[in-house]
Amino acid sequence: MALNNLRLLRPLLCHSVVRHFRAPLAVSSRANVCPPLCPGTTRWPPAAAATCTRPYATKKAKAKAKGQSGKVNINAALVEDIISLDEVKQDMTAVLGALKEDFTRNLSIRTSPGALDHIVVTTKDGKFPLNQLGQISMKSPLFIMVNMSGFPEATAAAARALRESSMNLNPEVDGTIVKVPVPKVTREHRESLAKLAKQFSNKAKETLRKVRSNAVTQVKKAKEGHSEDTIRLVEKQIQQMADSSAVDVDKLLAAKTKELLG
């Protein structure tokens, strides 16, 4: 009978324990400490169990927080006596500009008179753009003509420049006229241009590494009179700039590859 009475009293004991710990729970939840279990059970009371939960940061949130905390943003004016960060940025921007120019100049698959504007002709008087030496006109989608009557002495050089370009051209000279049959763009040619684009981007990244290396060397030479923390932060800033420019190179390559291969 005593055992039966104890079983009847158990729910009352549990409710009593919950009421007893209700006030301290607000403090206990902050310290991640849970109240004791109800006598004779292996579970917390529902109200107590709710207070024992602990939120955990997701991997994405941790990675974002880590990335934000690791970034450096130095005021360029404060470290001018060490290095000009603006000049470093300009040098890296110039690398991106040169890559864009290489893409436009050497990897064009569009058939138009302007497609030959980037061709540079080497003459005994120097180097000149083809469109400054001859009149370029398009007779059909697969035929371009260059009239070199204004500079007839540069006709052979113009034909050579067209032949040596990466556009897979085979010009024919007829007096002062350079006839340029435009080959149909095949899948094989597109893939060849895509590989060339990859080579140009790798070259750009190599140039970026040289810019970064030269900048870091200059910073190291200015160690005297500056704290190690300052030097380290400047080096980290330069690395961030190089990494950002490398990402831009990858974006340019991805866009050009998509254009070439479709």
Side-chain angles (χ1 to χ4, degrees):
M1 180 179 290
L3 182 59
N4 289 335
N5 291 336
L6 180 59
R7 289 176 178 174
L8 292 173
L9 290 173
R10 182 175 298 166
L12 295 176
L13 290 172
C14 284
H15 289 299
S16 176
V17 170
V18 171
R19 286 196 301 270
H20 178 73
F21 283 98
R22 184 166 294 168
L25 279 179
V27 178
S28 299
S29 62
R30 295 179 183 178
N32 297 319
V33 178
C34 295
L37 302 174
C38 287
T41 67
T42 58
R43 296 181 179 178
W44 283 299
T51 63
C52 292
T53 59
R54 177 182 178 183
Y56 289 90
T58 62
K59 290 183 179 180
K60 185 176 181 180
K62 289 181 179 179
K64 183 177 180 181
K66 183 178 179 180
Q68 290 177 346
S69 63
K71 287 186 177 180
V72 177
N73 189 12
I74 298 176
N75 187 334
L78 298 179
V79 294
E80 283 186 346
D81 56 333
I82 299 177
I83 191 173
S84 174
L85 292 177
D86 290 337
E87 290 184 3
V88 176
K89 180 64 176 177
Q90 290 174 5
D91 290 343
M92 293 184 179
T93 301
V95 175
L96 296 175
L99 178 61
K100 292 177 182 178
E101 186 177 349
D102 283 336
F103 281 176
T104 302
R105 176 179 299 175
N106 301 295
L107 305 179
S108 177
I109 58 175
R110 299 174 183 175
T111 304
S112 65
L116 303 183
D117 287 348
H118 68 277
I119 300 295
V120 177
V121 181
T122 302
T123 69
K124 62 180 181 179
D125 296 320
K127 296 182 178 181
F128 303 92
L130 178 62
N131 59 358
Q132 290 185 9
L133 299 178
Q135 183 180 0
I136 304 173
S137 59
M138 192 165 189
K139 297 304 180 181
S140 73
L142 297 178
F143 186 78
I144 298 177
M145 187 174 71
V146 183
N147 188 339
M148 298 293 296
S149 58
F151 296 90
E153 67 279 6
T155 302
R160 183 170 58 253
L162 289 165
R163 190 176 297 109
E164 293 176 354
S165 71
S166 61
M167 298 180 67
N168 194 29
L169 301 176
N170 187 24
E172 300 174 359
V173 177
D174 183 8
T176 58
I177 302 297
V178 180
K179 301 176 180 179
V180 187
V182 179
K184 185 177 180 180
V185 180
T186 62
R187 182 68 182 182
E188 181 181 1
H189 182 55
R190 288 175 179 270
E191 291 175 351
S192 176
L193 292 179
K195 291 180 181 178
L196 190 58
K198 179 67 173 178
Q199 293 176 11
F200 283 134
S201 66
N202 288 339
K203 180 181 177 182
K205 286 186 176 181
E206 182 180 348
T207 305
L208 283 175
R209 286 192 290 269
K210 289 181 179 179
V211 173
R212 181 198 61 79
S213 179
N214 291 339
V216 171
T217 299
Q218 182 178 342
V219 171
K220 290 184 181 298
K221 290 180 179 179
K223 277 187 175 182
E224 186 175 351
H226 299 88
S227 68
E228 293 183 2
D229 288 342
T230 299
I231 296 298
R232 185 164 56 251
L233 288 175
V234 174
E235 291 178 355
K236 190 171 183 178
Q237 177 79 62
I238 294 171
Q239 183 63 55
Q240 281 182 190
M241 294 163 63
D243 292 342
S244 177
S245 296
V247 170
D248 290 338
V249 169
D250 289 335
K251 290 180 179 178
L252 289 173
L253 174 62
K256 193 63 182 180
T257 302
K258 184 178 180 180
E259 175 190 329
L260 294 171
L261 300 181

